[in-house]
Amino acid sequence: MRNRVLQQLFGDHHGWLLERLRTRLGCRQDAADMAAETFAQVVALPAPQAIREPRAMLTTIAKRLVFASWRRRDLERAYLQTLAQQPQQYEPAAEERAEALEALIVLDEILDGLSPRARSAFLYSHLEGLTYAEIGQRLGVSTPRVHQYMVKAMRLCYLALEPQ
């Protein structure tokens, strides 16, 4: 029954989703990749037969994937811009660049649950080495508020490192 439901879902909605993604992304190959990943996530659902509004479900999953890919591209662009500003003597190997980018993506996912100010406080502290008072001045908040932001951020990092 599960396979029949999945086959019908794919047959009934794949073309629609692919066209919708192609229109949004402007690239048939990216749209095909997103549609495939969307259906892969549907296949991973514990009870696909319980889906009552398939197009709404597919749209929600696809939007999340599109936003995640845009966010990843933005992070990669920012990382490459930062590398371009470094002295030429510092040219990391391709593997090192890939590892750094992957670490940035993981950190971005961890910090996604924070407010923009809390995320900024964490990054100011760890990337620029600013004190809580300096961070507070930049963000226009008190030092105790910066401490609260840091506690939240560190808690998320700790929870992400805990074995599942």
Side-chain angles (χ1 to χ4, degrees):
M1 175 163 158
R2 177 182 171 83
N3 286 342
R4 193 171 341 125
V5 168
L6 290 171
Q7 287 172 345
Q8 184 172 358
L9 185 69
F10 185 85
D12 291 349
H13 304 290
H14 181 265
W16 168 82
L17 180 63
L18 184 61
E19 184 56 29
R20 186 172 170 99
L21 287 167
R22 190 196 59 75
T23 300
R24 181 157 184 120
L25 299 173
C27 174
R28 188 162 196 76
Q29 291 144 331
D30 288 347
D33 289 346
M34 289 292 170
E37 182 58 31
T38 299
F39 278 98
Q41 289 193 13
V42 170
V43 168
L45 292 173
Q49 63 276 10
I51 298 172
R52 299 285 173 242
E53 299 289 334
R55 288 190 174 186
M57 166 82 68
L58 292 169
T59 299
T60 299
I61 293 170
K63 278 183 180 180
R64 287 182 187 148
L65 291 169
V66 167
F67 291 145
S69 74
W70 288 345
R71 194 169 182 162
R72 182 182 181 103
R73 279 188 209 154
D74 288 347
L75 274 172
E76 185 172 4
R77 190 175 306 118
Y79 174 66
L80 292 175
Q81 286 174 347
T82 301
L83 279 181
Q85 294 171 357
Q86 301 301 313
Q88 285 189 348
Q89 299 94 343
Y90 180 72
E91 181 66 31
E95 184 177 317
E96 187 180 356
R97 288 171 65 166
E99 288 173 359
L101 183 58
E102 193 59 37
L104 285 171
I105 290 165
V106 168
L107 182 60
D108 182 60
E109 289 171 2
I110 291 168
L111 299 180
D112 190 41
L114 295 174
S115 70
R117 282 187 176 170
R119 194 171 30 255
S120 293
F122 180 84
L123 295 173
Y124 283 145
S125 175
H126 289 279
L127 298 180
E128 296 188 24
L130 299 181
T131 66
Y132 287 9
E134 292 168 330
I135 295 168
Q137 283 182 327
R138 282 206 184 171
L139 297 178
V141 299
S142 67
T143 301
R145 180 51 126 181
V146 172
H147 178 75
Q148 290 173 345
Y149 291 155
M150 293 301 294
V151 168
K152 283 182 182 178
M154 296 305 285
R155 183 172 175 269
L156 286 176
C157 291
Y158 175 77
L159 290 173
L161 293 174
E162 260 188 358
Q164 301 291 315

